[in-house]
Amino acid sequence: MEILDEMKKEFTAQFGEQNTRAFFSPGRVNLIGEHTDYNGGHVFPCAITLGTYALVADRDDNETRMYSMNMPKAGVLSFPMSGLTYDKNYGWANYPMGVIRMFEDAGYKAAHGFDILIYGTLPNGAGLSSSASIEVLMSVILNNTFGFGLDMVEMVKLSQAAENKFVGVNCGIMDQFAVGMGKKDCAILLDCNTLEYRYSKIVLDDCSIVITNTNKKHSLGASAYNERRSQCESALEQLQAVKPIKALGELTDEEFDAIADTIKDPVVRRRAHHAVYENQRTLEAVRALENNDVAKFGKLMNASHVSLRDDYEVTGKELDTLASLAWQQEGVIGSRMTGAGFGGSTVSIVRNDALAAFQKNVGEAYTKEIGYAPSFYIASISDGTHEIKD
Ligand code: GLA
């Protein structure tokens, strides 16, 4: 594998000649079900073949040294395998450091450190979960090396805990789950309330999944994400005064409409409206896809974007421009923002015979409107995080 050969050369340059093991962890694209995970709703993401590779060698001592080929300026970062705390000087390495700390706190203590070389093929800040990718990667390295015997869902939870407690981003479980539990050619229908899930084969016949990156830099740590969460929590509390529910995801559209007036602030009401309707829309979309009704799935993707734009207000000019340009193109079945929003990417289902025109037309019109170009990726659906054995 060409990537691994390049990495091996760089590994030797950074750490000297050693026996290494190789790992891969995907990114993810969410097809529908946005900002529903922390509201106890459903999501429908898939892991993608863009992701993060690692070459790993054991060390005799308790130190770990990490180097990312994507961040050469950061150089080799060294840290001990116990008692780690967040340190902004360590930048990207806080994600694996957080995982090591969460494992330690859960009683899974590393017996020694590693030399690790990282190479990521995910564009940074594209909303494709580069951070979850590296978190679950570190989890699998620890689990496989030390034989902790954790199953993937347990590792997914520890990876999310690293993001929540160590890095300080209050994200839901979708990203780590999609990255860890991904399956080739399938999306995952996950009930974030119960963590029940099932795989759904993605058969798009003559269509492809296209990811379009706005190339606007976004930060998931943005206060807007946490603000949306607390608005939904406030809506839930107010609804609980009239109905015994544990999460917004338990409500049907009709049940919500009947009690929506209980929520005083109209902005908070719209946030909850999105969470409830998006969850039901996700279930409907999966049913449509499983009945081979790709056209209906596409219409529901479009409706998801409109709701994220008008009710949840997490799109912004770049994502709205990409989505509305996509909607105008021949051969586009559906298009919406994916991930947290505020920048990042859209996901579109596009007929294969229209792919070239789609990229040309959307690319040119977006550049004219926004002042810089978007990037396009045709997504292939990958397995979850694993050790690469040859
Ligand atoms: C980010 C978070 C996820 C989820 C999405 C929005 O990707 O990490 O937990 O909330 O935003 O659907």
Side-chain angles (χ1 to χ4, degrees), residues 28 30 33-38 43 127 129 160 163 169-176 220 225 229 336-341:
R28 69 95 188 88
N30 189 20
E34 217 65 82
H35 289 278
T36 46
D37 61 350
Y38 54 82
V43 293
S129 293
Q160 185 201 13
E163 183 107 14
V169 178
N170 211 7
C171 66
I173 199 161
M174 169 172 73
D175 300 349
Q176 290 79 9
L220 183 59
Y225 182 89
R229 275 200 80 144
R336 57 180 289 278
M337 60 152 270
T338 185

Side-chain angles (χ1 to χ4, degrees), residues 11-18 65:
F11 186 98
T12 307
Q14 295 297 333
F15 302 118
E17 181 89 43
Q18 296 182 58
R65 298 188 292 175

Side-chain angles (χ1 to χ4, degrees), residues 278-349:
E278 176 77 355
N279 181 44
Q280 294 301 325
R281 186 162 33 238
T282 302
L283 293 170
E284 197 183 343
V286 175
R287 276 194 299 272
L289 201 60
E290 290 178 347
N291 288 328
N292 294 319
D293 193 347
V294 183
K296 182 166 181 194
F297 188 84
K299 288 209 176 76
L300 292 165
M301 288 175 80
N302 298 349
S304 165
H305 186 90
V306 169
S307 177
L308 288 154
R309 182 190 69 196
D310 298 345
D311 279 349
Y312 221 63
E313 296 180 277
V314 291
T315 53
K317 184 167 183 214
E318 297 79 4
L319 286 167
D320 287 336
T321 303
L322 278 185
S324 53
L325 286 170
W327 296 337
Q328 292 160 30
Q329 305 305 313
E330 280 286 310
V332 172
I333 313 295
S335 184
R336 57 180 289 278
M337 60 152 270
T338 185
F342 317 111
S345 299
T346 59
V347 56
S348 311
I349 296 180

